[in-house]
Amino acid sequence: MLNEYLGLDAGVYYQGSSTFFAVMYDHEADFTEKTDAPMFLEVPLKLRYYYPLLLNELDLVVYAGTSLLTHFAPADYGTGSGSFTYDSPVSGPEQNGSVTYTASRTSRFGGILKAGAGLEYILPVPFPLKATFYADYTHGYVKIDELALTTNIPGEAPEVSTISSFGSGWHFSLGVKVPFIISPKGTSRCGRLPRTRICLLYTSDA
């Protein structure tokens, strides 16, 4: 916390990811695949504003910022194949097909812009804890993932499709956190802050 209403998020953490796709030939999902993908290392920098809603126990929080993403996976981190059946209007029902795929990380580093809002509720416990719920949208501006699909259908040339991801999308999170506030020496406001604020004091010779 920078002060009672303004906070800054900075740090390093891992985020999980997965590869998912579906093949459709007869207006339904004929083949689906979902596998784990290498985790991303995210370095965020976000500014939060807290607006009290209910007796200093419930806050509306809005925030915006950016994050640097990186990973330590090889360029092609996943391959696989499978078969499926589909209804063909030309050669009759229940035809057989197959698909192979290669999942790749196209860039070692990526970047996202993030904005969102949420609620923070002070839990009625002696130790300062907050229950949190957030919804945000991220917009990626560097292509980081690519999926190449090759489908084989009897009587047709193999078809190659490419799916790319920039890391854009909606995210929802639910959790519990411990809040802190940092004040310079001599201007500490610990005694006048809500009971869920913890002062972390520091000294400076400047």
Side-chain angles (χ1 to χ4, degrees):
M1 298 293 295
L2 300 177
N3 57 42
E4 192 171 346
Y5 301 104
L6 199 61
L8 183 68
D9 288 358
V12 176
Y13 58 87
Y14 272 106
Q15 59 168 266
S17 61
S18 60
T19 299
F20 173 81
F21 67 91
V23 176
M24 301 176 65
Y25 265 90
D26 51 9
H27 304 289
E28 63 181 21
D30 301 302
F31 179 85
T32 59
E33 180 76 6
K34 182 178 181 180
T35 60
D36 292 333
M39 300 180 70
F40 280 106
L41 180 69
E42 181 174 358
V43 182
L45 184 62
K46 295 181 293 186
L47 194 65
R48 297 177 183 264
Y49 178 76
Y50 295 80
Y51 182 81
L53 294 178
L54 180 64
L55 299 176
N56 288 328
E57 294 185 353
L58 180 66
D59 290 333
L60 172 65
V61 185
V62 294
Y63 56 92
T66 185
S67 290
L68 173 69
L69 300 177
T70 188
H71 64 91
F72 307 100
D76 295 336
Y77 65 82
T79 59
S81 61
S83 59
F84 60 91
T85 60
Y86 68 99
D87 295 328
S88 173
V90 177
S91 54
E94 291 297 318
Q95 298 297 308
N96 295 319
S98 64
V99 59
T100 60
Y101 69 88
T102 300
S104 307
R105 287 274 158 88
T106 58
S107 177
R108 179 64 64 182
F109 296 96
I112 56 174
L113 301 175
K114 182 177 294 188
L119 296 172
E120 294 191 359
Y121 175 70
I122 299 176
L123 296 175
V125 294
F127 191 78
L129 289 175
K130 280 190 172 185
T132 64
F133 172 75
Y134 295 113
D136 60 54
Y137 180 78
T138 60
H139 177 75
Y141 47 87
V142 177
K143 184 172 69 173
I144 53 178
D145 268 349
E146 188 171 83
L147 185 67
L149 302 173
T150 302
T151 52
N152 295 278
I153 301 298
E156 299 182 12
E159 181 177 349
V160 179
S161 303
T162 302
I163 305 171
S164 299
S165 172
F166 288 73
S168 301
W170 287 95
H171 302 84
F172 302 90
S173 62
L174 182 67
V176 176
K177 73 175 185 179
V178 180
F180 291 87
I181 188 167
I182 299 176
S183 299
K185 183 179 179 181
T187 61
S188 171
R189 301 179 60 203
C190 286
R192 298 191 298 274
L193 292 174
R195 63 181 177 87
T196 55
R197 309 294 195 209
I198 298 178
C199 275
L200 180 62
L201 300 180
Y202 68 92
T203 61
S204 174
D205 296 330

